[in-house]
Amino acid sequence: MASDWVGSLVSIHCGPALGVYQGQVSSVDQTSQTISLRYPFHNGVKCTVPEVTFSAMDIKDLKILEIQKNLNEILKQNGPDSNTTSTQHSGRKDKGVGIPVNIAPVTVPNNTETKPQEEGVSPVPHYSKSYGDRHVDMASQSKGFRRRHNSWSSSRAPNQATPKKNGLKNGGNMKNKDDECFGDCIDDVLDEDFDFEGNLALFDKAAVFSQIDSSERRGNGARSRGTPGEQTPSRYRHDENILEAKPVVYRQITVPQPSTKEYSTDSGLVVPSISFELHKRLLAAAESHGLSLERRLEMTGVCASQMALTLLGGPNRLTPKNVHQRPTVALLCGPHVQGAQGISCGRHLANHEVEVILFLPNFVKMLEAITSELALFRKTGFKLVSNVKDLPETPVDLVINCLDSHENGFLRDQPWYKTAADWANQNRAPVLSIDPPVSGQAHAVEAKWSLSLGLPLPLSEGAGRVYLCDIGIPRQVFQEVGIKYLSPFGCKFVVPLHSE
Protein backbone atom coordinates (compact mmCIF):
# COMPACT_ATOMS: atom_id res chain seq x y z
CA MET A 1 0.00 0.00 0.00
CA ALA A 2 1.02 3.61 -0.37
CA SER A 3 1.38 4.08 3.39
CA ASP A 4 4.12 1.41 3.45
CA TRP A 5 6.52 3.82 1.76
CA VAL A 6 6.03 6.58 4.36
CA GLY A 7 9.34 7.24 6.11
CA SER A 8 11.52 5.94 3.28
CA LEU A 9 14.35 8.00 1.77
CA VAL A 10 13.83 8.66 -1.93
CA SER A 11 15.43 10.64 -4.74
CA ILE A 12 13.06 12.26 -7.24
CA HIS A 13 14.31 13.49 -10.60
CA CYS A 14 12.06 16.22 -12.08
CA GLY A 15 13.91 16.92 -15.28
CA PRO A 16 16.57 19.51 -16.16
CA ALA A 17 14.35 22.44 -15.25
CA LEU A 18 13.51 21.47 -11.66
CA GLY A 19 16.45 19.23 -10.88
CA VAL A 20 16.74 16.43 -8.30
CA TYR A 21 15.07 16.38 -4.87
CA GLN A 22 15.90 14.04 -2.01
CA GLY A 23 14.11 13.57 1.29
CA GLN A 24 11.98 11.38 3.54
CA VAL A 25 8.50 10.39 2.33
CA SER A 26 5.92 11.99 4.59
CA SER A 27 2.74 11.15 2.69
CA VAL A 28 1.49 9.53 -0.52
CA ASP A 29 -1.91 10.55 -1.92
CA GLN A 30 -3.16 8.16 -4.59
CA THR A 31 -6.25 10.25 -5.25
CA SER A 32 -4.42 13.46 -6.20
CA GLN A 33 -1.38 11.55 -7.47
CA THR A 34 1.06 13.46 -5.21
CA ILE A 35 3.96 12.56 -2.96
CA SER A 36 5.37 14.73 -0.16
CA LEU A 37 8.95 14.81 1.19
CA ARG A 38 10.05 16.24 4.51
CA TYR A 39 13.58 17.52 5.21
CA PRO A 40 14.00 17.97 1.43
CA PHE A 41 17.29 18.60 -0.38
CA HIS A 42 17.36 20.23 -3.82
CA ASN A 43 20.42 19.35 -5.92
CA GLY A 44 22.34 18.58 -2.73
CA VAL A 45 21.36 21.80 -0.90
CA LYS A 46 19.01 21.98 2.05
CA CYS A 47 15.65 23.50 1.06
CA THR A 48 14.24 26.49 2.88
CA VAL A 49 10.90 24.78 3.51
CA PRO A 50 10.39 21.72 5.74
CA GLU A 51 8.22 19.85 3.24
CA VAL A 52 7.78 19.70 -0.54
CA THR A 53 4.91 18.12 -2.47
CA PHE A 54 5.34 16.74 -6.01
CA SER A 55 2.73 15.88 -8.60
CA ALA A 56 3.07 12.66 -10.60
CA MET A 57 3.22 14.65 -13.82
CA ASP A 58 6.37 16.45 -12.58
CA ILE A 59 8.30 13.25 -11.71
CA LYS A 60 10.61 11.86 -14.40
CA ASP A 61 12.32 9.22 -12.27
CA LEU A 62 12.12 8.02 -8.64
CA LYS A 63 14.81 6.09 -6.73
CA ILE A 64 14.44 4.58 -3.26
CA LEU A 65 17.59 5.21 -1.24
CA GLU A 66 16.44 3.39 1.93
CA ILE A 67 13.21 1.77 2.95
CA GLN A 68 11.50 2.57 6.22
CA LYS A 69 12.79 -0.43 8.20
CA ASN A 70 16.48 0.34 7.69
CA LEU A 71 15.85 4.04 8.16
CA ASN A 72 14.37 3.53 11.62
CA GLU A 73 17.56 1.83 12.70
CA ILE A 74 19.66 4.75 11.35
CA LEU A 75 17.47 7.29 13.11
CA LYS A 76 17.85 5.43 16.40
CA GLN A 77 21.64 5.61 16.08
CA ASN A 78 22.07 9.21 14.81
CA GLY A 79 18.81 10.88 15.87
CA PRO A 80 16.55 13.03 13.68
CA ASP A 81 18.63 16.19 14.29
CA SER A 82 21.99 14.77 13.36
CA ASN A 83 24.11 17.18 11.38
CA THR A 84 27.15 14.99 10.75
CA THR A 85 26.08 13.21 7.56
CA SER A 86 26.51 14.57 4.07
CA THR A 87 24.45 14.31 0.93
CA GLN A 88 25.50 12.23 -1.98
CA HIS A 89 25.63 15.19 -4.40
CA SER A 90 27.07 18.09 -2.41
CA GLY A 91 29.34 16.52 0.25
CA ARG A 92 28.43 19.38 2.66
CA LYS A 93 27.16 19.14 6.24
CA ASP A 94 23.58 20.30 6.78
CA LYS A 95 21.06 20.22 9.55
CA GLY A 96 18.10 17.83 9.42
CA VAL A 97 17.89 14.14 8.73
CA GLY A 98 21.13 12.58 7.54
CA ILE A 99 21.04 10.84 4.19
CA PRO A 100 23.47 7.90 3.83
CA VAL A 101 25.82 8.19 0.91
CA ASN A 102 26.85 4.54 0.56
CA ILE A 103 23.43 2.88 0.16
CA ALA A 104 22.74 1.44 -3.26
CA PRO A 105 19.70 3.08 -4.78
CA VAL A 106 16.71 1.02 -5.80
CA THR A 107 15.08 2.12 -9.04
CA VAL A 108 11.29 2.19 -9.04
CA PRO A 109 9.76 2.67 -12.47
CA ASN A 110 7.23 5.44 -12.85
CA ASN A 111 3.94 3.76 -13.69
CA THR A 112 2.08 7.04 -13.97
CA GLU A 113 2.05 8.37 -17.49
CA THR A 114 3.15 11.95 -17.80
CA LYS A 115 0.26 14.16 -18.77
CA PRO A 116 0.83 16.79 -21.45
CA GLN A 117 1.58 20.13 -19.84
CA GLU A 118 -0.47 23.13 -20.58
CA GLU A 119 1.27 25.76 -22.66
CA GLY A 120 3.02 28.39 -20.56
CA VAL A 121 2.79 26.38 -17.25
CA SER A 122 6.00 24.87 -15.88
CA PRO A 123 6.02 21.84 -13.55
CA VAL A 124 6.80 23.02 -10.05
CA PRO A 125 6.69 21.39 -6.61
CA HIS A 126 3.62 22.27 -4.52
CA TYR A 127 4.54 23.48 -1.05
CA SER A 128 2.38 22.05 1.67
CA LYS A 129 2.80 24.94 4.11
CA SER A 130 1.21 28.32 3.73
CA TYR A 131 3.24 31.50 3.21
CA GLY A 132 2.73 32.62 6.82
CA ASP A 133 3.97 29.30 8.24
CA ARG A 134 7.03 29.31 6.00
CA HIS A 135 7.82 32.89 7.00
CA VAL A 136 7.76 31.96 10.70
CA ASP A 137 9.97 28.91 10.10
CA MET A 138 12.47 30.92 8.09
CA ALA A 139 12.66 33.62 10.77
CA SER A 140 13.50 30.99 13.39
CA GLN A 141 16.39 29.53 11.40
CA SER A 142 19.91 30.26 12.55
CA LYS A 143 22.10 32.88 10.94
CA GLY A 144 24.61 30.26 9.91
CA PHE A 145 21.96 28.39 7.93
CA ARG A 146 20.88 31.60 6.14
CA ARG A 147 24.47 32.39 5.28
CA ARG A 148 24.97 28.86 3.92
CA HIS A 149 21.69 29.09 2.05
CA ASN A 150 22.59 32.38 0.44
CA SER A 151 25.66 30.82 -1.14
CA TRP A 152 23.49 28.29 -2.99
CA SER A 153 23.23 30.43 -6.13
CA SER A 154 27.02 30.64 -6.48
CA SER A 155 27.62 26.91 -5.80
CA ARG A 156 25.23 25.45 -8.34
CA ALA A 157 26.34 24.27 -11.77
CA PRO A 158 26.40 26.79 -14.64
CA ASN A 159 23.92 24.84 -16.75
CA GLN A 160 21.50 24.30 -13.89
CA ALA A 161 18.23 26.16 -14.33
CA THR A 162 16.38 27.86 -11.54
CA PRO A 163 12.88 26.47 -10.84
CA LYS A 164 10.20 28.67 -12.31
CA LYS A 165 7.63 30.26 -10.05
CA ASN A 166 4.09 29.02 -9.91
CA GLY A 167 1.57 31.75 -10.54
CA LEU A 168 -0.62 30.56 -7.63
CA LYS A 169 2.17 30.88 -5.05
CA ASN A 170 4.22 33.65 -6.55
CA GLY A 171 4.15 35.72 -3.36
CA GLY A 172 5.88 33.03 -1.29
CA ASN A 173 8.61 32.50 -3.88
CA MET A 174 9.21 36.24 -4.12
CA LYS A 175 9.62 36.39 -0.34
CA ASN A 176 12.16 33.57 -0.46
CA LYS A 177 13.98 35.33 -3.28
CA ASP A 178 14.17 38.56 -1.25
CA ASP A 179 15.60 36.65 1.72
CA GLU A 180 18.20 35.03 -0.51
CA CYS A 181 19.33 38.42 -1.80
CA PHE A 182 19.01 40.64 1.27
CA GLY A 183 18.85 38.30 4.26
CA ASP A 184 22.56 37.70 4.89
CA CYS A 185 23.87 39.04 8.23
CA ILE A 186 21.18 41.71 8.48
CA ASP A 187 20.56 40.92 12.15
CA ASP A 188 24.24 41.43 12.96
CA VAL A 189 24.14 44.94 11.52
CA LEU A 190 20.91 45.87 13.25
CA ASP A 191 21.96 44.53 16.63
CA GLU A 192 25.23 46.50 16.81
CA ASP A 193 25.13 50.26 17.61
CA PHE A 194 27.67 52.57 16.05
CA ASP A 195 30.21 53.82 18.57
CA PHE A 196 30.38 57.54 17.85
CA GLU A 197 32.56 58.39 20.85
CA GLY A 198 35.06 55.66 20.10
CA ASN A 199 35.42 56.69 16.46
CA LEU A 200 35.67 60.37 17.41
CA ALA A 201 38.51 59.55 19.81
CA LEU A 202 40.44 58.08 16.87
CA PHE A 203 40.39 61.46 15.10
CA ASP A 204 43.33 63.65 16.13
CA LYS A 205 42.17 67.15 15.25
CA ALA A 206 45.36 68.83 16.38
CA ALA A 207 47.49 66.72 14.05
CA VAL A 208 45.15 67.24 11.10
CA PHE A 209 45.01 71.02 11.49
CA SER A 210 48.78 71.13 11.94
CA GLN A 211 49.16 69.28 8.66
CA ILE A 212 46.81 71.72 6.91
CA ASP A 213 48.74 74.74 8.24
CA SER A 214 52.05 73.29 7.12
CA SER A 215 50.69 72.55 3.63
CA GLU A 216 49.40 76.13 3.34
CA ARG A 217 52.79 77.51 4.33
CA ARG A 218 54.47 75.35 1.72
CA GLY A 219 51.92 76.49 -0.88
CA ASN A 220 52.51 80.15 -0.07
CA GLY A 221 56.22 79.69 -0.29
CA ALA A 222 55.90 78.06 -3.70
CA ARG A 223 53.86 80.96 -5.05
CA SER A 224 56.13 83.65 -3.66
CA ARG A 225 59.36 84.69 -5.35
CA GLY A 226 61.47 84.22 -2.23
CA THR A 227 61.86 87.91 -1.37
CA PRO A 228 62.59 88.27 2.37
CA GLY A 229 59.72 89.80 4.25
CA GLU A 230 57.35 89.48 1.27
CA GLN A 231 53.74 89.06 2.34
CA THR A 232 51.88 86.77 -0.03
CA PRO A 233 48.13 86.41 0.40
CA SER A 234 47.06 82.89 1.31
CA ARG A 235 43.70 83.14 -0.43
CA TYR A 236 42.75 84.32 -3.92
CA ARG A 237 39.38 84.97 -5.47
CA HIS A 238 38.28 82.81 -8.39
CA ASP A 239 38.52 85.84 -10.74
CA GLU A 240 41.77 87.28 -9.32
CA ASN A 241 44.96 87.17 -11.36
CA ILE A 242 47.87 85.85 -9.26
CA LEU A 243 50.47 86.71 -11.90
CA GLU A 244 52.20 90.04 -11.63
CA ALA A 245 51.05 92.59 -14.20
CA LYS A 246 51.65 96.21 -14.99
CA PRO A 247 49.99 98.75 -12.71
CA VAL A 248 46.46 99.60 -13.84
CA VAL A 249 46.10 103.10 -15.28
CA TYR A 250 42.60 104.33 -14.59
CA ARG A 251 42.98 107.68 -16.37
CA GLN A 252 43.22 106.46 -19.95
CA ILE A 253 41.39 109.43 -21.52
CA THR A 254 42.83 112.95 -21.38
CA VAL A 255 41.36 116.05 -22.99
CA PRO A 256 43.24 119.19 -24.14
CA GLN A 257 41.34 121.43 -21.74
CA PRO A 258 40.55 120.72 -18.09
CA SER A 259 37.11 119.21 -17.86
CA THR A 260 34.51 120.77 -15.62
CA LYS A 261 33.08 117.38 -14.68
CA GLU A 262 34.45 113.86 -14.59
CA TYR A 263 32.78 110.46 -14.56
CA SER A 264 33.98 106.92 -13.88
CA THR A 265 32.88 103.52 -15.13
CA ASP A 266 32.04 100.46 -13.02
CA SER A 267 35.63 99.25 -13.41
CA GLY A 268 37.04 102.58 -12.15
CA LEU A 269 38.16 104.10 -15.47
CA VAL A 270 37.97 107.88 -15.49
CA VAL A 271 35.93 109.42 -18.31
CA PRO A 272 36.24 113.22 -18.50
CA SER A 273 33.51 115.38 -19.95
CA ILE A 274 34.11 117.67 -22.92
CA SER A 275 32.54 120.93 -23.99
CA PHE A 276 29.95 121.11 -26.72
CA GLU A 277 32.42 122.88 -29.05
CA LEU A 278 34.98 120.07 -28.69
CA HIS A 279 32.24 117.48 -29.15
CA LYS A 280 31.14 119.24 -32.32
CA ARG A 281 34.71 119.24 -33.66
CA LEU A 282 35.01 115.55 -32.87
CA LEU A 283 31.88 114.66 -34.85
CA ALA A 284 33.00 116.82 -37.76
CA ALA A 285 36.40 115.07 -37.86
CA ALA A 286 34.71 111.68 -37.81
CA GLU A 287 32.40 112.71 -40.64
CA SER A 288 35.35 113.86 -42.72
CA HIS A 289 36.79 110.32 -42.47
CA GLY A 290 33.58 108.62 -43.60
CA LEU A 291 31.52 108.36 -40.41
CA SER A 292 28.57 110.16 -41.96
CA LEU A 293 25.51 111.47 -40.17
CA GLU A 294 23.40 108.56 -41.44
CA ARG A 295 25.85 106.04 -39.97
CA ARG A 296 25.90 107.91 -36.66
CA LEU A 297 22.10 107.99 -36.57
CA GLU A 298 21.94 104.23 -37.12
CA MET A 299 24.55 103.53 -34.43
CA THR A 300 22.83 105.84 -31.97
CA GLY A 301 19.46 104.26 -32.69
CA VAL A 302 20.82 100.75 -32.06
CA CYS A 303 22.52 101.67 -28.77
CA ALA A 304 19.53 103.68 -27.52
CA SER A 305 17.08 100.89 -28.41
CA GLN A 306 19.25 98.30 -26.62
CA MET A 307 19.26 100.44 -23.50
CA ALA A 308 15.51 101.01 -23.77
CA LEU A 309 14.83 97.28 -24.16
CA THR A 310 16.85 96.62 -21.02
CA LEU A 311 14.92 99.28 -19.11
CA LEU A 312 11.63 97.74 -20.28
CA GLY A 313 12.50 94.37 -18.72
CA GLY A 314 14.69 92.69 -21.32
CA PRO A 315 14.20 88.92 -21.69
CA ASN A 316 11.89 88.77 -18.68
CA ARG A 317 9.33 91.01 -20.39
CA LEU A 318 9.88 90.50 -24.10
CA THR A 319 9.02 86.82 -24.52
CA PRO A 320 6.58 85.00 -26.81
CA LYS A 321 4.40 84.25 -23.76
CA ASN A 322 3.91 87.98 -23.08
CA VAL A 323 2.56 89.04 -26.46
CA HIS A 324 -0.58 90.26 -24.68
CA GLN A 325 1.53 92.62 -22.53
CA ARG A 326 3.67 94.45 -25.04
CA PRO A 327 5.46 97.47 -23.56
CA THR A 328 4.39 100.88 -24.81
CA VAL A 329 6.94 103.61 -25.52
CA ALA A 330 6.11 107.25 -26.28
CA LEU A 331 8.80 108.94 -28.39
CA LEU A 332 8.91 112.77 -28.31
CA CYS A 333 11.04 114.17 -31.15
CA GLY A 334 11.87 117.66 -32.38
CA PRO A 335 12.76 118.86 -35.91
CA HIS A 336 16.56 118.48 -35.54
CA VAL A 337 19.35 115.89 -35.48
CA GLN A 338 18.48 114.78 -31.95
CA GLY A 339 14.92 114.17 -33.18
CA ALA A 340 16.27 112.04 -36.07
CA GLN A 341 18.22 109.96 -33.52
CA GLY A 342 14.99 109.39 -31.62
CA ILE A 343 13.15 108.29 -34.76
CA SER A 344 15.92 105.77 -35.52
CA CYS A 345 15.60 104.41 -31.96
CA GLY A 346 11.82 104.09 -32.39
CA ARG A 347 12.24 102.09 -35.59
CA HIS A 348 14.52 99.56 -33.87
CA LEU A 349 12.14 99.29 -30.91
CA ALA A 350 9.23 98.65 -33.30
CA ASN A 351 11.25 95.86 -34.92
CA HIS A 352 11.43 94.21 -31.49
CA GLU A 353 7.63 94.19 -31.06
CA VAL A 354 7.46 97.25 -28.81
CA GLU A 355 4.36 99.42 -29.13
CA VAL A 356 5.82 102.75 -30.29
CA ILE A 357 3.94 106.05 -30.48
CA LEU A 358 5.98 108.75 -32.22
CA PHE A 359 5.25 112.45 -31.67
CA LEU A 360 6.71 114.85 -34.25
CA PRO A 361 5.27 118.34 -34.90
CA ASN A 362 4.37 119.33 -38.43
CA PHE A 363 6.81 121.57 -40.26
CA VAL A 364 6.77 122.75 -43.84
CA LYS A 365 10.45 121.94 -44.31
CA MET A 366 12.46 119.41 -42.30
CA LEU A 367 16.02 118.15 -42.32
CA GLU A 368 16.86 115.49 -44.86
CA ALA A 369 17.94 113.12 -42.07
CA ILE A 370 14.51 113.43 -40.41
CA THR A 371 12.72 112.87 -43.73
CA SER A 372 14.64 109.67 -44.49
CA GLU A 373 14.27 108.31 -40.94
CA LEU A 374 10.56 109.14 -40.93
CA ALA A 375 10.05 107.26 -44.20
CA LEU A 376 11.63 104.16 -42.66
CA PHE A 377 9.57 104.47 -39.49
CA ARG A 378 6.30 104.58 -41.43
CA LYS A 379 7.16 101.12 -42.80
CA THR A 380 6.84 99.70 -39.28
CA GLY A 381 3.12 100.45 -39.23
CA PHE A 382 3.11 102.07 -35.81
CA LYS A 383 1.42 105.30 -34.80
CA LEU A 384 2.73 108.74 -35.79
CA VAL A 385 1.05 111.80 -34.24
CA SER A 386 1.67 115.54 -34.51
CA ASN A 387 -0.70 116.69 -31.77
CA VAL A 388 -0.15 116.13 -28.07
CA LYS A 389 -3.86 115.38 -27.66
CA ASP A 390 -3.32 112.17 -29.65
CA LEU A 391 -0.81 110.84 -27.10
CA PRO A 392 -2.06 108.26 -24.56
CA GLU A 393 -3.85 109.61 -21.52
CA THR A 394 -2.78 106.64 -19.39
CA PRO A 395 0.82 106.14 -18.26
CA VAL A 396 3.10 104.35 -20.72
CA ASP A 397 6.05 102.10 -19.88
CA LEU A 398 8.74 104.52 -21.04
CA VAL A 399 9.05 108.05 -22.45
CA ILE A 400 12.03 108.80 -24.71
CA ASN A 401 12.77 112.52 -24.87
CA CYS A 402 14.42 113.92 -28.00
CA LEU A 403 12.82 117.38 -27.91
CA ASP A 404 15.94 119.35 -27.00
CA SER A 405 18.61 120.59 -29.37
CA HIS A 406 22.15 121.73 -28.57
CA GLU A 407 21.89 124.86 -30.75
CA ASN A 408 18.25 125.78 -31.37
CA GLY A 409 17.22 126.96 -27.91
CA PHE A 410 14.37 129.04 -29.26
CA LEU A 411 12.32 125.90 -29.88
CA ARG A 412 11.51 125.75 -26.18
CA ASP A 413 9.25 128.75 -26.60
CA GLN A 414 7.09 127.01 -29.18
CA PRO A 415 3.62 125.90 -28.00
CA TRP A 416 4.08 122.30 -29.21
CA TYR A 417 7.28 122.01 -27.16
CA LYS A 418 5.66 123.22 -23.94
CA THR A 419 2.61 121.00 -24.30
CA ALA A 420 4.77 117.95 -25.09
CA ALA A 421 7.03 118.63 -22.09
CA ASP A 422 3.99 119.08 -19.83
CA TRP A 423 2.54 115.78 -21.05
CA ALA A 424 5.83 113.94 -20.33
CA ASN A 425 6.03 115.38 -16.79
CA GLN A 426 2.42 114.49 -16.04
CA ASN A 427 2.42 110.96 -17.50
CA ARG A 428 4.30 109.53 -14.47
CA ALA A 429 6.36 107.27 -16.74
CA PRO A 430 10.20 107.14 -16.45
CA VAL A 431 12.01 109.29 -19.00
CA LEU A 432 15.11 108.45 -21.05
CA SER A 433 16.81 111.45 -22.72
CA ILE A 434 18.99 110.83 -25.78
CA ASP A 435 21.91 113.25 -26.28
CA PRO A 436 20.63 115.94 -23.87
CA PRO A 437 22.07 119.50 -23.90
CA VAL A 438 24.81 120.74 -21.57
CA SER A 439 24.22 121.84 -18.00
CA GLY A 440 24.00 125.52 -18.92
CA GLN A 441 20.47 124.91 -20.20
CA ALA A 442 17.59 123.93 -17.97
CA HIS A 443 15.81 120.64 -18.65
CA ALA A 444 12.15 121.06 -19.40
CA VAL A 445 11.59 117.31 -18.90
CA GLU A 446 13.07 115.69 -15.81
CA ALA A 447 14.84 112.54 -16.95
CA LYS A 448 15.73 109.42 -15.00
CA TRP A 449 18.41 108.34 -17.46
CA SER A 450 20.45 110.19 -20.08
CA LEU A 451 22.47 108.71 -22.93
CA SER A 452 25.55 110.57 -24.18
CA LEU A 453 27.39 109.87 -27.44
CA GLY A 454 31.14 109.19 -27.71
CA LEU A 455 32.20 111.30 -24.72
CA PRO A 456 29.82 112.86 -22.19
CA LEU A 457 28.94 116.52 -21.88
CA PRO A 458 28.91 118.17 -18.43
CA LEU A 459 25.27 117.43 -17.63
CA SER A 460 23.29 118.79 -14.72
CA GLU A 461 21.59 116.80 -11.99
CA GLY A 462 18.30 116.99 -13.88
CA ALA A 463 19.71 114.62 -16.49
CA GLY A 464 19.48 111.71 -14.08
CA ARG A 465 21.93 108.83 -14.29
CA VAL A 466 24.30 109.20 -17.23
CA TYR A 467 25.11 106.43 -19.70
CA LEU A 468 27.66 106.52 -22.51
CA CYS A 469 27.31 104.77 -25.87
CA ASP A 470 29.95 103.93 -28.48
CA ILE A 471 29.08 105.41 -31.88
CA GLY A 472 32.16 103.97 -33.64
CA ILE A 473 34.64 106.86 -33.65
CA PRO A 474 38.20 105.49 -34.19
CA ARG A 475 41.05 106.32 -31.80
CA GLN A 476 43.02 108.38 -34.31
CA VAL A 477 40.03 110.64 -34.88
CA PHE A 478 40.13 111.46 -31.16
CA GLN A 479 43.83 112.22 -31.48
CA GLU A 480 43.16 114.67 -34.33
CA VAL A 481 41.18 116.89 -31.98
CA GLY A 482 43.74 116.56 -29.18
CA ILE A 483 42.09 113.80 -27.11
CA LYS A 484 44.20 110.89 -25.85
CA TYR A 485 41.68 108.10 -25.98
CA LEU A 486 41.47 104.46 -24.92
CA SER A 487 38.05 102.84 -25.13
CA PRO A 488 36.26 102.51 -21.75
CA PHE A 489 33.54 100.24 -23.12
CA GLY A 490 35.20 96.85 -22.81
CA CYS A 491 32.78 94.24 -24.16
CA LYS A 492 29.74 96.55 -24.17
CA PHE A 493 28.41 99.33 -26.36
CA VAL A 494 26.62 101.15 -23.52
CA VAL A 495 28.20 101.62 -20.08
CA PRO A 496 26.96 103.50 -17.01
CA LEU A 497 28.87 106.49 -15.71
CA HIS A 498 29.16 107.66 -12.13
CA SER A 499 29.72 111.28 -11.13
CA GLU A 500 33.00 111.98 -9.34
Side-chain angles (χ1 to χ4, degrees):
M1 296 180 66
S3 59
D4 296 339
W5 299 101
V6 175
S8 301
L9 292 181
V10 296
S11 176
I12 299 178
H13 180 60
C14 298
L18 298 181
V20 179
Y21 286 83
Q22 295 174 337
Q24 186 180 18
V25 179
S26 60
S27 65
V28 178
D29 191 346
Q30 294 181 344
T31 304
S32 59
Q33 293 290 299
T34 60
I35 182 174
S36 299
L37 303 182
R38 60 171 173 259
Y39 314 123
F41 284 77
H42 177 238
N43 294 332
V45 179
K46 177 78 171 177
C47 291
T48 59
V49 293
E51 189 175 79
V52 182
T53 301
F54 298 89
S55 177
M57 60 182 297
D58 299 331
I59 301 174
K60 305 300 182 182
D61 189 15
L62 188 147
K63 296 180 180 180
I64 299 176
L65 303 179
E66 182 58 52
I67 59 175
Q68 180 181 4
K69 180 178 179 181
N70 295 334
L71 179 61
N72 292 335
E73 297 178 358
I74 296 175
L75 292 178
K76 290 179 181 179
Q77 297 175 1
N78 298 334
D81 296 331
S82 175
N83 56 359
T84 59
T85 56
S86 302
T87 62
Q88 180 179 356
H89 293 278
S90 64
R92 296 171 53 186
K93 296 180 180 182
D94 290 283
K95 294 182 181 180
V97 178
I99 300 176
V101 297
N102 55 357
I103 299 178
V106 180
T107 303
V108 178
N110 185 9
N111 296 329
T112 305
E113 294 182 359
T114 303
K115 299 180 180 179
Q117 301 177 3
E118 296 180 1
E119 184 177 359
V121 179
S122 301
V124 295
H126 301 279
Y127 297 158
S128 61
K129 285 197 175 184
S130 63
Y131 167 74
D133 296 336
R134 294 197 307 273
H135 182 69
V136 173
D137 293 341
M138 291 170 58
S140 62
Q141 292 177 355
S142 64
K143 299 174 184 176
F145 171 75
R146 287 210 312 269
R147 190 176 300 109
R148 193 163 58 249
H149 169 65
N150 289 337
S151 62
W152 168 73
S153 59
S154 61
S155 62
R156 55 181 176 170
N159 59 353
Q160 179 177 325
T162 304
K164 298 182 179 179
K165 297 184 288 292
N166 192 336
L168 298 178
K169 296 189 177 182
N170 189 20
N173 288 341
M174 290 300 295
K175 176 62 179 177
N176 297 336
K177 187 175 181 180
D178 292 341
D179 290 339
E180 292 176 5
C181 183
F182 305 107
D184 193 11
C185 299
I186 296 298
D187 294 339
D188 296 340
V189 178
L190 297 179
D191 292 342
E192 297 179 1
D193 294 334
F194 183 75
D195 187 4
F196 289 95
E197 295 182 358
N199 283 269
L200 184 60
L202 299 176
F203 177 68
D204 190 355
K205 292 193 292 184
V208 172
F209 283 111
S210 177
Q211 183 181 1
I212 294 175
D213 293 339
S214 61
S215 62
E216 287 184 353
R217 285 194 295 270
R218 288 195 301 270
N220 294 338
R223 287 194 294 266
S224 64
R225 296 184 178 272
T227 305
E230 181 181 2
Q231 297 294 332
T232 305
S234 58
R235 296 288 188 273
Y236 292 96
R237 298 196 313 270
H238 68 281
D239 58 348
E240 185 176 359
N241 187 10
I242 65 174
L243 300 178
E244 293 185 0
K246 296 181 179 180
V248 179
V249 179
Y250 291 99
R251 188 175 293 275
Q252 300 177 356
I253 302 175
T254 58
V255 295
Q257 299 175 355
S259 59
T260 58
K261 194 171 186 179
E262 288 186 342
Y263 301 90
S264 62
T265 63
D266 291 338
S267 58
L269 299 178
V270 179
V271 181
S273 64
I274 59 176
S275 62
F276 172 70
E277 289 74 14
L278 183 57
H279 193 271
K280 187 176 180 179
R281 287 170 48 199
L282 177 63
L283 296 181
E287 190 171 353
S288 65
H289 290 283
L291 189 61
S292 62
L293 175 62
E294 289 76 12
R295 299 177 71 174
R296 291 203 327 262
L297 292 177
E298 190 68 20
M299 194 67 186
T300 303
V302 170
C303 292
S305 61
Q306 285 183 350
M307 181 178 177
L309 291 173
T310 303
L311 297 176
L312 291 172
N316 297 325
R317 178 81 181 275
L318 302 170
T319 60
K321 296 182 179 180
N322 281 342
V323 293
H324 61 289
Q325 294 179 345
R326 290 182 180 179
T328 303
V329 175
L331 204 59
L332 308 180
C333 299
H336 37 65
V337 175
Q338 283 71 31
Q341 293 173 165
I343 299 173
S344 175
C345 174
R347 169 167 54 87
H348 288 288
L349 289 177
N351 292 338
H352 288 267
E353 302 302 325
V354 177
E355 194 75 25
V356 179
I357 303 174
L358 174 61
F359 168 79
L360 181 66
N362 285 327
F363 283 88
V364 177
K365 186 177 181 180
M366 293 188 181
L367 294 177
E368 183 180 356
I370 293 182
T371 303
S372 59
E373 289 293 336
L374 199 58
L376 288 174
F377 179 81
R378 285 194 175 98
K379 297 299 181 180
T380 63
F382 284 97
K383 191 175 182 180
L384 172 63
V385 299
S386 59
N387 195 330
V388 178
K389 295 181 180 180
D390 297 329
L391 292 174
E393 297 180 358
T394 58
V396 295
D397 294 281
L398 181 66
V399 174
I400 299 180
N401 177 28
C402 299
L403 294 174
D404 296 308
S405 174
H406 294 287
E407 299 176 325
N408 300 329
F410 66 90
L411 294 176
R412 297 188 177 188
D413 299 331
Q414 300 293 326
W416 60 266
Y417 183 95
K418 294 181 179 180
T419 53
D422 293 339
W423 178 90
N425 292 327
Q426 295 175 3
N427 190 262
R428 301 193 303 275
V431 179
L432 168 64
S433 294
I434 299 178
D435 196 12
V438 294
S439 58
Q441 304 177 10
H443 295 277
V445 179
E446 294 293 330
K448 189 174 182 179
W449 309 281
S450 292
L451 182 63
S452 296
L453 312 181
L455 283 178
L457 300 176
L459 302 178
S460 62
E461 297 297 332
R465 188 174 183 182
V466 181
Y467 285 76
L468 184 67
C469 74
D470 183 12
I471 57 176
I473 301 177
R475 181 188 303 179
Q476 293 185 1
V477 175
F478 284 96
Q479 294 177 356
E480 288 185 10
V481 296
I483 300 176
K484 181 182 178 182
Y485 180 83
L486 190 62
S487 175
F489 294 99
C491 62
K492 300 179 180 179
F493 283 88
V494 178
V495 294
L497 298 180
H498 310 276
S499 299
E500 292 292 336

